[in-house]
């Protein structure tokens, strides 16, 4: 079916007048918008269904969301025949999120499904927690994470509180695509909606504290600056910090106001230093020990701490998770809780230091594909056999315990603040604690490059780039020979020296390539599952013996990453 034919299907009486007028105008004027809006249907990627809001099959709107929700309703009835089905729904601060949340609730209740609907914005991890806490069959959250304001998204969670994964996501999508737009039931039944809010926050916060806190040392002496960057965590983090006994907390007031426009930042992404500029400015005034910011839906967190020169420095995701993971396992070991049947979770694009940390403390480290849904899958498959302790990925996500089956900024913030408080009481900084870990395990340093290519032509260019890296592997990076190429699409590992290929079928197929060099440099290449970009992840390593040695090696490793970028023509 051509793009024009797909668009004309939206000119029937199943669609509202504004939608039909927009499409007809595009057709009449030969607008490029028609092609980009209809050339494909939105797909479930690493973060669910996510896209620009607007008219068309390749956009987030009443009809694409309605179709997804009707398909989910049909699937739930097939999976739980004769049962009273419950679904929890949350939404973030983005434009239309609240309206989309109610619309999804209406479709579900029109299908006889009971809905637990949050009255106002709530963080994604609270939705994950609520699905399990309230024994729901599924959950939905309306969010586009840290994407620009024109985006929104739709993520589905199963009854274990984790995002759906193959083959289940494919089964649901099959149901979704079988739904004709005229079959969507939009006329809901409000009698089947249970509204939830502050009372659920309390239960969630208590669970965060129970899973994230170990030592009550120095909490009343830690200077904290926090910003929700206009997102949802204004509903939970301030209360959690107060309840945990952190008394010196300053908030970036302008950014504690929820807004889908994110008016004080170019991007509401705590991975980017610019998003934390206002918080860092406040930290200079308050002499803060730690700065923390979260993304709009409250699952990611960015952390800045005092470096060796006493200046605030943003930690990258791997550094942050290294500190949190090492600390947790150290506490478990001291408490005699490690039996050899525990594991931590990571991803294939995350630093390999987590394998070293796991080995250091006698636990397993499982690495899955990008996205916390794969860590959720690990937890589910290990239940009754191995105990999950914590997990994280490089994109500023971490989870403590399995009470939430997704990355969770609230629990991670409580843990990070405890570590900072303990370090301060011991006369050192969190940054120095990180260096101590590197002295123990070896120093890893990471980098990331995003190459953005928008629209249909951009998607085609990204495909060509992946094909070139796959078919013509780089032979040398920063002066070190490439020794191994892992291709997760083909599920093979190629030894370049011997030419031997071995099969890797323990991880599902995914369009990801990883180069390893003889000196341990690692480069991962993958198209984003939720944004129009191809991502390059870099990891280099060396040994250090002191803080002075750390400073020297930091310069060397930073330069090494630049050499790798040059070799890859980035």
């Amino acid at each position: 079916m051509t793009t024009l034919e797909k668009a004309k299907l939206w000119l029937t009486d199943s669609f509202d007048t504004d939608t039909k007028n927009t499409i007809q105008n595009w057709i009449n004027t030969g607008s490029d918008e028609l092609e980009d809006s209809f050339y494909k249907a939105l797909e479930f990627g690493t973060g669910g269904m996510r896209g620009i809001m607007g008219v068309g099959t390749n956009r987030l709107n009443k009809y694409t969301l309605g179709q997804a929700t009707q398909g989910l309703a049909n699937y739930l009835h097939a999976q739980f025949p004769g049962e009273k089905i419950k679904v929890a729904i949350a939404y973030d601060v983005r434009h239309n999120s609240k309206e989309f949340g109610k619309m999804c609730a209406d479709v579900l209740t029109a299908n006889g499904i009971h809905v637990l609907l949050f009255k106002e914005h709530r963080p994604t991890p609270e939705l994950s927690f609520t699905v399990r806490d309230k024994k729901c069959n599924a959950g939905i959250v309306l969010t586009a994470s840290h994407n620009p304001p024109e985006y929104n998204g739709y993520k589905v969670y199963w009854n274990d509180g984790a995002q759906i994964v193959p083959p289940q996501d494919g089964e649901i999508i099959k149901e979704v695509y079988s739904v004709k737009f005229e079959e969507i039931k939009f006329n809901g039944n409000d009698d089947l909606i249970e509204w939830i809010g502050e009372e659920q926050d309390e239960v969630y916060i208590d669970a965060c504290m129970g899973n994230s806190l170990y030592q009550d040392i120095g909490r009343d002496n830690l200077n904290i600056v926090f910003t929700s960057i206009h997102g949802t965590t204004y509903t939970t983090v301030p209360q959690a910090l107060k309840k945990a006994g952190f008394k010196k907390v300053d908030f970036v007031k302008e950014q504690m106001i929820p807004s889908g426009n994110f008016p004080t930042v170019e991007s509401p992404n705590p991975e980017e230093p610019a998003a934390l500029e206002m918080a860092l400015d406040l930290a200079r005034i308050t002499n803060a020990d730690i700065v923390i910011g979260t993304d709009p839906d409250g699952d990611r967190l960015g952390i800045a701490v005092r470096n060796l020169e006493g200046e605030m420095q943003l930690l990258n995701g791997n550094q942050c998770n290294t500190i949190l993971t090492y600390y947790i396992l150290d506490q478990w070991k001291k408490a005699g809780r490690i039996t050899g049947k525990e594991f931590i979770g990571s991803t294939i694009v995350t630093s390999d230091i987590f394998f070293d940390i796991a080995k250091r403390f006698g636990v397993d480290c499982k690495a899955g594909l990008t996205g916390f849904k794969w860590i959720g899958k690990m937890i589910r498959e290990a239940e009754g056999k191995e105990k999950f302790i914590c997990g994280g990925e490089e994109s500023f996500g971490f989870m403590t315990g399995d009470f939430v089956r997704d990355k969770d900024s609230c629990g991670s913030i409580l843990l990070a603040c405890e570590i900072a408080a303990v370090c301060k009481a011991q006369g050192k900084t969190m940054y120095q604690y990180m260096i101590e870990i590197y002295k123990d395990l070896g120093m890893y340093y990471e980098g990331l490059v995003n190459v953005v290519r928008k629209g249909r032509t951009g998607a085609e260019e990204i495909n060509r780039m992946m094909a070139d890296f796959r078919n013509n592997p780089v032979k040398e990076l920063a002066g070190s020979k490439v020794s191994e190429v892992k291709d997760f699409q083909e599920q093979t590992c190629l030894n370049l020296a011997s030419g031997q290929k071995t099969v890797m079928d323990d991880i599902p197929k995914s369009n990801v390539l990883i180069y390893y060099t003889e000196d341990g440099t690692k480069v991962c290449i993958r198209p984003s599952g939720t944004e129009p970009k191809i991502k390059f992840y870099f990891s280099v390593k060396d040994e250090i013996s002191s803080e002075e040695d750390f400073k020297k090696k930091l310069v060397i490793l930073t330069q090494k990453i630049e050499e790798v970028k040059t070799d890859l023509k980035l």
Side-chain angles (χ1 to χ4, degrees):
M1 188 180 292
T2 67
T3 299
L4 180 59
E5 288 170 336
K6 292 177 187 175
K8 284 184 175 179
L9 293 176
W10 283 48
L11 295 176
T12 67
D13 289 340
S14 296
F15 300 88
D16 62 79
T17 302
D18 287 344
T19 294
K20 290 187 286 187
N21 287 344
T22 298
I23 295 169
Q24 191 62 59
N25 182 58
W26 287 344
I27 294 172
N28 295 343
T29 59
S31 172
D32 292 339
E33 283 287 334
L34 186 76
E35 176 71 17
D36 199 43
S37 298
F38 281 97
Y39 84 92
K40 68 173 184 177
L42 287 178
E43 300 170 353
F44 277 84
T46 55
M49 187 168 66
R50 190 183 301 181
I52 295 170
M53 290 176 279
V55 172
T57 56
N58 191 32
R59 296 287 185 262
L60 255 292
N61 52 63
K62 172 182 178 180
Y63 303 102
T64 54
L65 289 171
Q67 184 185 45
T69 308
Q70 183 64 55
L72 176 62
N74 295 345
Y75 184 77
L76 286 167
H77 280 300
Q79 293 297 307
F80 304 103
E83 294 185 30
K84 177 183 175 181
I85 300 171
K86 289 196 299 183
V87 176
I89 299 178
Y91 48 88
D92 70 5
V93 301
R94 289 181 174 273
H95 297 302
N96 302 313
S97 279
K98 188 170 187 176
E99 293 77 10
F100 285 159
K102 179 59 165 64
M103 184 274 295
C104 291
D106 287 341
V107 173
L108 291 174
T109 59
N111 284 274
I113 293 172
H114 293 250
V115 173
L116 281 67
L117 180 61
F118 278 96
K119 291 180 280 190
E120 294 294 341
H121 336 98
R122 285 300 185 277
T124 291
E126 186 170 356
L127 181 279
S128 170
F129 171 79
T130 299
V131 168
R132 298 188 73 217
D133 181 59
K134 296 291 189 180
K135 296 180 173 55
C136 295
N137 302 85
I140 296 170
V141 63
L142 285 305
T143 176
S145 186
H146 57 280
N147 284 64
E150 64 269 24
Y151 279 77
N152 213 320
Y154 178 96
K155 293 199 287 190
V156 177
Y157 291 75
W158 203 237
N159 55 13
D160 63 340
Q163 292 180 54
I164 55 169
V165 295
Q168 193 171 50
D169 58 352
E171 294 169 358
I172 293 174
I173 278 293
K174 187 176 179 181
E175 287 283 356
V176 169
Y177 289 161
S178 70
V179 173
K180 295 176 179 156
F181 289 108
E182 60 268 24
E183 296 173 343
I184 303 170
K185 299 176 182 177
F186 284 114
N187 297 319
N189 177 5
D190 284 354
D191 291 340
L192 294 180
I193 295 178
E194 176 186 343
W195 298 91
I196 55 177
E198 294 81 3
E199 73 292 340
Q200 188 65 8
D201 298 342
E202 288 295 321
V203 181
Y204 165 66
I205 288 169
D206 286 345
C208 287
M209 292 174 60
N211 282 271
S212 306
L213 298 174
Y214 294 87
Q215 301 182 80
D216 186 4
I217 298 172
R219 293 185 194 173
D220 57 352
N221 193 38
L222 184 72
N223 295 321
I224 303 168
V225 166
F226 175 74
T227 174
S228 63
I229 317 181
H230 303 288
T232 55
T233 53
Y234 75 94
T235 62
T236 53
V237 171
Q239 297 94 311
L241 288 170
K242 182 178 180 180
K243 196 166 188 176
F246 295 100
K247 297 180 180 179
K248 298 180 178 180
V249 185
D250 290 288
F251 302 103
V252 182
K253 293 180 181 178
E254 303 92 326
Q255 294 183 331
M256 297 299 286
I257 301 169
S259 172
N261 290 321
F262 314 115
T264 64
V265 293
E266 186 173 326
S267 169
N269 185 355
E271 294 182 64
E272 299 175 12
L276 292 178
E277 268 186 20
M278 293 180 72
L280 293 171
D281 287 342
L282 181 57
R284 294 183 188 101
I285 296 171
T286 63
N287 195 32
D289 302 298
I290 186 170
V291 167
I292 303 168
T294 56
D295 68 344
D297 71 319
D299 55 1
R300 299 170 190 251
L301 73 159
I303 293 176
V305 295
R306 300 278 172 190
N307 62 20
L308 295 177
E309 285 69 47
E311 299 296 321
M312 274 292 171
Q313 182 167 325
L314 182 66
L315 301 174
N316 68 39
N318 285 300
Q319 290 172 330
C320 178
N321 292 348
T322 293
I323 295 168
L324 302 184
T325 302
Y326 193 98
Y327 179 84
I328 289 175
L329 293 183
D330 193 35
Q331 295 304 307
W332 274 58
K333 183 178 180 180
K334 288 174 179 175
R337 297 176 65 185
I338 294 178
T339 67
K341 293 184 178 181
E342 294 81 21
F343 75 98
I344 61 173
S346 184
T347 75
I348 57 175
V349 302
T350 300
S351 172
D352 286 351
I353 195 173
F354 295 98
F355 291 102
D356 297 341
I357 296 174
K359 185 178 180 180
R360 170 74 171 76
F361 289 99
V363 301
D364 189 20
C365 177
K366 301 179 190 293
L369 295 176
T370 306
F372 262 72
K373 64 183 183 180
W374 300 106
I375 295 179
K377 183 173 184 284
M378 293 173 196
I379 298 171
R380 180 168 63 248
E381 291 176 345
E383 281 179 326
K385 294 172 285 188
E386 290 180 281
K387 173 69 176 175
F388 175 77
I389 298 177
C390 62
E393 61 181 0
E394 95 303 327
S395 57
F396 288 61
F398 194 80
M399 61 194 293
T400 61
D402 65 356
F403 71 106
V404 170
R405 299 290 174 94
D406 206 344
K407 50 187 176 287
D408 174 27
S409 69
C410 186
S412 302
I413 286 167
L414 292 175
L415 176 64
C417 288
E418 175 178 309
I419 297 170
V422 171
C423 286
K424 187 174 183 180
Q426 294 173 348
K428 61 188 177 187
T429 67
M430 206 166 161
Y431 200 78
Q432 289 173 304
Y433 181 64
M434 178 185 73
I435 294 172
E436 289 175 3
I437 296 170
Y438 289 151
K439 285 164 61 179
D440 181 25
L441 300 175
M443 177 181 174
Y444 285 73
Y445 190 64
E446 297 82 27
L448 173 68
V449 168
N450 292 311
V451 178
V452 177
R453 295 291 185 267
K454 293 183 179 181
R456 185 173 195 167
T457 57
E460 291 168 351
E461 184 177 349
I462 288 172
N463 288 335
R464 287 194 299 271
M465 292 173 72
M466 286 300 298
D468 189 47
F469 282 116
R470 177 168 281 116
N471 298 326
N472 304 289
V474 178
K475 299 294 189 295
E476 188 174 286
L477 292 169
S480 180
K481 287 183 180 180
V482 174
S483 58
E484 194 174 78
V485 180
K486 291 185 176 181
D487 187 337
F488 290 86
Q489 183 94 308
E490 301 297 327
Q491 294 186 311
T492 59
C493 178
L494 172 64
N495 184 306
L496 290 185
S498 66
Q500 183 179 0
K501 274 189 179 181
T502 54
V503 176
M504 308 184 306
D505 55 5
D506 56 329
I507 291 178
K509 288 185 177 183
S510 184
N511 193 12
V512 182
L513 289 171
I514 299 182
Y515 293 153
Y516 280 101
T517 70
E518 291 177 345
D519 68 357
T521 295
K522 175 184 177 184
V523 177
C524 304
I525 309 169
R526 62 175 279 268
S528 171
T530 55
E531 299 171 271
K533 62 177 65 170
I534 182 170
K535 308 181 88 167
F536 296 81
Y537 306 80
F538 312 102
S539 178
V540 291
K541 65 179 183 178
D542 207 332
E543 301 297 319
I544 64 167
S545 58
S546 64
E547 290 183 359
E548 281 303 312
D549 199 18
F550 169 83
K551 287 197 247 183
K552 292 174 185 176
K553 294 293 175 64
L554 184 59
V555 174
I556 293 170
L557 294 180
T558 300
Q559 179 58 38
K560 190 170 186 177
I561 287 179
E562 291 306 312
E563 291 174 19
V564 172
K565 292 178 186 176
T566 300
D567 290 339
L568 292 172
K569 298 180 173 59
L570 297 177

